[in-house]
Amino acid sequence: MSFAYPWVLLVFPLAAWVALWKSSSTGLTVASLGQWANLEKGRARYLWLLTALELLFYGGLLIALARPQAGSSESIEEAEGIAIELLVDVSSSMDRAIDLPGGGSKTRMEIAKELLEQFILGDGERLTGRSSDLIGLISFARYADTRSPLTFGHKALAQIVGSLEIQDRPNEDGTAYGDALTLACARLENLDELKSLNASRKLAEIESRIVVLLTDGENNSGNHLPLEAAGLAKQWGIRVYTISLGDAGGVQGIDKVFEESEFSTAELTLQRISDETGGVFRRAPNYEALKSIYEEIDSLERSSIETRSFEIVSEWYWLPLTLALLFLCGRMILQTTWLRVAS
């Protein structure tokens, strides 16, 4: 509790002195009280109540004028998230093994799923997770399939990532990332329509739109060419980050850049897609390289988080003012009835 004008309370001693002086100055001077010594004490012994009520009135009035206030601090965290479509290759070539840093090996599919889950939820160390972002998942082999629409339900999305399986049947196998990229761009372009249907504040704050494409091969299926899909992404302002999970040696992360002559034809296509859309192309020949690439994307595409602090102030002047008026009314009633003094 605090006062907006605490200096007003300094007037109370003056008000108290005036009330006490008025009460002491009223009376009748007589030579002696001896002749009334045997009389019973009457209502006059309660006249002090009038003074007390007057003091309480002044006190309540001055406290109300000082404006007592009760405040509480509040803070709101506003995050401007990003809409992300994750594209994952599930063709039969993703069943090939990759060596792990501490020894042993896992398939490309297993490593891709593990690092995608860490990218979405965070790993507690190098990857912070995408808690403020709207994320969707599209897998592709010969056909592109939407595994999850754009969602803020990241735990459920991570479970869907963990359930991805390689499409090794002949009629399903292939690599159609041109179709997958086209589908992802269409999903992101329709985000404005989704905003109009859903009044969610969190959804309304989504501005940036990106695609993260992970593949280990060359586009050899589907109805849409990769560069055709890149043209749509560029037209709609969608950045595309491409990752080649191939067999080429070396690690390409933030600090190392390869010459174009070292890239395969498939990688040159992926690089052109990223260059035309404002994204980044990276090559990931092993587990550590792929993790460093997701870290790089995580650092490049950060959600904008702003914390606003403010104080809520409640005015309490009405309480002492109400009490002061009650004391004044009580004094007036007593003074004109039971404690009335004849003039």
Side-chain angles (χ1 to χ4, degrees), residues 249-263:
V251 177
Q252 184 178 4
I254 299 174
D255 299 325
K256 181 169 182 177
V257 178
F258 291 94
E259 298 293 332
E260 287 192 6
S261 59
E262 300 182 65
F263 293 149

Side-chain angles (χ1 to χ4, degrees), residues 66-327:
R67 282 184 59 191
Q69 299 172 332
S72 60
S73 297
E74 297 286 344
S75 61
I76 296 178
E77 188 177 87
E78 295 182 344
E80 183 181 296
I82 300 170
I84 304 174
E85 281 285 2
L86 300 175
L87 276 55
V88 186
D89 192 340
V90 294
S91 61
S92 60
S93 58
M94 292 288 286
D95 199 29
R96 296 177 185 173
I98 290 183
D99 293 335
L100 297 176
S105 64
K106 287 184 178 181
T107 65
R108 294 175 178 175
M109 188 78 257
E110 291 172 329
I111 290 174
K113 291 194 295 184
E114 179 181 333
L115 293 180
L116 274 175
E117 290 179 25
Q118 292 180 16
F119 179 74
I120 295 168
L121 299 178
D123 64 355
E125 296 178 359
R126 295 161 59 179
L127 291 167
T128 59
R130 313 295 304 190
S131 59
S132 300
D133 298 331
L134 190 65
I135 307 178
L137 176 66
I138 296 174
S139 66
F140 61 89
R142 180 179 293 273
Y143 306 104
D145 298 309
T146 299
R147 296 304 182 100
S148 171
L150 291 164
T151 179
F152 288 111
H154 295 166
K155 289 186 178 180
L157 177 62
Q159 292 177 350
I160 295 173
V161 170
S163 66
L164 290 176
E165 295 181 353
I166 292 174
Q167 297 288 354
D168 54 2
R169 291 179 295 181
N171 63 329
E172 294 283 347
D173 198 13
T175 304
Y177 69 74
D179 283 0
L181 181 55
T182 302
L183 178 59
C185 291
R187 292 272 189 266
L188 293 173
E189 173 62 13
N190 289 333
L191 185 58
D192 290 333
E193 181 180 345
L194 184 61
K195 288 181 181 181
S196 66
L197 297 175
N198 190 325
S200 167
R201 179 178 178 181
K202 197 172 183 181
L203 183 61
E205 291 170 345
I206 297 293
E207 294 295 337
S208 298
R209 310 173 195 201
I210 71 168
V211 173
V212 181
L213 167 62
L214 173 66
T215 183
D216 70 342
E218 184 174 0
N219 188 82
N220 54 24
S221 303
N223 299 317
H224 299 278
L225 296 174
L227 295 180
E228 177 187 347
L232 291 176
K234 182 178 180 180
Q235 178 182 343
W236 292 336
I238 300 169
R239 289 186 297 279
V240 182
Y241 292 84
T242 56
I243 304 171
S244 174
L245 191 58
D247 295 321
V251 177
Q252 184 178 4
I254 299 174
D255 299 325
K256 181 169 182 177
V257 178
F258 291 94
E259 298 293 332
E260 287 192 6
S261 59
E262 300 182 65
F263 293 149
S264 66
T265 302
E267 290 175 333
L268 287 173
T269 300
L270 292 172
Q271 183 185 39
R272 185 173 172 184
I273 291 172
S274 293
D275 289 346
E276 289 191 2
T277 60
V280 173
F281 165 70
R282 292 289 182 255
R283 176 195 290 175
N286 55 49
Y287 179 94
E288 190 60 33
L290 183 58
K291 185 160 188 174
S292 69
I293 292 167
Y294 278 120
E295 286 181 51
E296 181 181 3
I297 297 172
D298 192 48
S299 64
L300 290 174
E301 296 290 346
R302 293 309 305 162
S303 300
S304 175
I305 299 176
E306 178 182 356
T307 301
R308 291 192 306 159
S309 298
F310 56 92
E311 188 174 359
I312 300 174
V313 177
S314 300
E315 297 284 354
W316 287 88
Y317 68 88
W318 58 269
L319 181 57
L321 181 59
T322 301
L323 292 175
L325 293 175
L326 289 175
F327 293 141

Side-chain angles (χ1 to χ4, degrees), residues 17-37:
W17 178 80
V18 170
L20 293 174
W21 177 80
K22 284 171 58 181
S23 66
S24 64
S25 63
T26 60
L28 179 64
T29 303
V30 297
S32 174
L33 296 176
Q35 56 182 324
W36 293 300

